[in-house]
Amino acid sequence: MKLVFLIPAFPLLGALSLIFFGRKLKEPLAGYIATAAVGLSFIFSVVVWIKFLGFSGNVFVDHLFVWINTGSFKVDAALRVDPLSLTMVLFVTGVSTLIHFYSVEYMHKDIDFPKFFLYLNLFVTSMIILVLGNNMLLTFVGWEGVGVCSYFLISFWHERPSAASAGKKAMIVNRIADVGFLLSMFLVIHYVHSLNYSAIFAAGPSLAKTTVDAIVLLAFVGAMGKSAQVPLYGWLADAMEGPTPVSALIHAATMVTAGVYLMVRLSPLLALSPDVAHIITIIGILTAFMAAMSATAQDDIKKVLAYSTVSQLGYMFVGVGTGAYAAAIFLMVTHAFYKALLFLSSGSVIHGMHDEQNLKKMGALKVVMPITAVAFFTGWMAIAGVPPFAGFWSKGDVLVGAFSESWLVWIIGLFTAGITSYYMGREYCLAFLGKARWISESSKGKKKSSKKEDHGHVVDPHEPSFKMMIPVVTLAILALVGGLLNLPFASSLKFLDKFLTPVIAASPSYFHPSAVNQIALGVLDAVFAIGGGLIAYFIWSKTYEKPALEFTLFKNAWYIDKTGDVAIARTSTKLAEVTDNVIEPKVIDGAVIGLSKLVLAVGILVRKMASGFVRREALVIAGGLVALIIIGGLRGGL
């Protein structure tokens, strides 16, 4: 297990090689080197996992070097190997390898091809450091690393103003939220005098409840930004401006899962803070519902998936808030499979449609892209929670946790599951069924190669290359069988539960349903999932225009982003303009200039008194001396 340092080392070496030799390597070699680096990281993750299975303890720490040593406070650069960190690195490196391989063909002929893979390797390196860090500070280094890399990747095509703006928005929103993470660390330093997770968890029971509440609540503020929870979710939808593989990487395997990971990592503290846990549950279920409703009215094929990610993250936080920590991680893993599948499938559609992303301009793609259609259908079934696909088992576990919290939370979660199936069905129908809306009237009856859009370029949808299909098919298989990680039928089949139990807290409020309850809840999950999909099929398989079902409120994502823009962004801009045009030149500069003029005037006045004539100066000195003597005499007499 001492080889654990190689897991982040390989993608870091890949990034360094692209920094120095990327321009010379060019494509596709630069892409294959980056893919191989992450692939080796995945292989060594598997090796470390196998070694850990024979390890007698629950935690192995690889101390690399002393990072900070000041007085009694010490921070090591150390990597933590335990069931939670291993689960994270296995799916992060595995899914990231598939996305890297897909990107080699997808980014073909891009002028900055080597730079793209440099950023991808740095992104994966940062995420690995985040999950393997043995202390909050090292986790924060990876936390900020994925934030910086997300800026680079979201604004990769920065010549487009929308992409540049989206990158800045992601950076700013996350930096604001990260203040919470920093304050949480400061409290830990003050009360625990260590940032090591083992020391924090050992000290937890002895800390005052208000202190524990503050630590986990502030950490959750950071998680809200990173994992895009209400009201900080707007940046994730705009992140679609980056290349589609970036969307797959951010949404499925890396950045947005970091917030959920942090809260599960802090579960021994969170279990001591039921009030904060309730807040997390409420934020999570609101996010799941509001984002799902927003997805029902989006026309961009990637934006539907973006709001879907926000909604699924909400479910994960419901699991965290209700004490179903293993269920939250289970959903995170399966979500990585089917969300990466959906994004890469949408990337194949966009690639085949010559960069068209509007669902209303697609249709009938099932005929010309049958493999992609099957893959997207698999992703739909998985995220909807239709048995036996992976999402049925993982989302079902989260809903059991919701059931243990309150009937209202569970009902909202169940209804949202039906909405999830509906909006994914709408997206599938608009893209793959119905009429081919990419055929212009003038081209009907002609060969496919003559089909043209109004903007003039030839549209000839087709399946992507075999290389791009390998990751898609692999992810489709994982989306189908991923539920085998944690089946509820018997304790012996709950592999992930048993694996994670030694390092996550046992929540006293978590409900363990009987077999009858488990079956009843599962049947209801399946009914809502299948029902939502059937409603979508009957409505959208024959038409693409239903304005009555595409509410403006949902299309604008409840106006939360626009409200924040008006109330905060534009107000701050106006304040900055007033400061620049009035306060700084007239108040600050005026005060400085006025003071200088006053000093100048006093100087001129005093200068007149100093003429330079010796006799006059002597007379003034003598007069002053006489005045002092008189004053002294008078004071003495008094």
Side-chain angles (χ1 to χ4, degrees), residues 205-226:
S206 64
L207 296 175
K209 183 180 182 301
T210 52
T211 301
V212 176
D213 288 348
I215 290 171
V216 292
L217 183 60
L218 287 168
F220 178 60
V221 171
M224 286 173 64
K226 195 68 74 182

Side-chain angles (χ1 to χ4, degrees), residues 335-350:
H335 176 261
F337 298 154
Y338 55 69
K339 186 50 62 69
L341 168 64
L342 288 166
F343 268 113
L344 296 190
S345 297
S346 70
S348 298
V349 170
I350 295 168

Side-chain angles (χ1 to χ4, degrees), residues 598-611:
L598 177 62
V599 172
L600 179 62
V602 172
I604 293 172
L605 180 63
V606 173
R607 186 177 63 186
K608 292 180 179 179
M609 298 174 63
S611 62

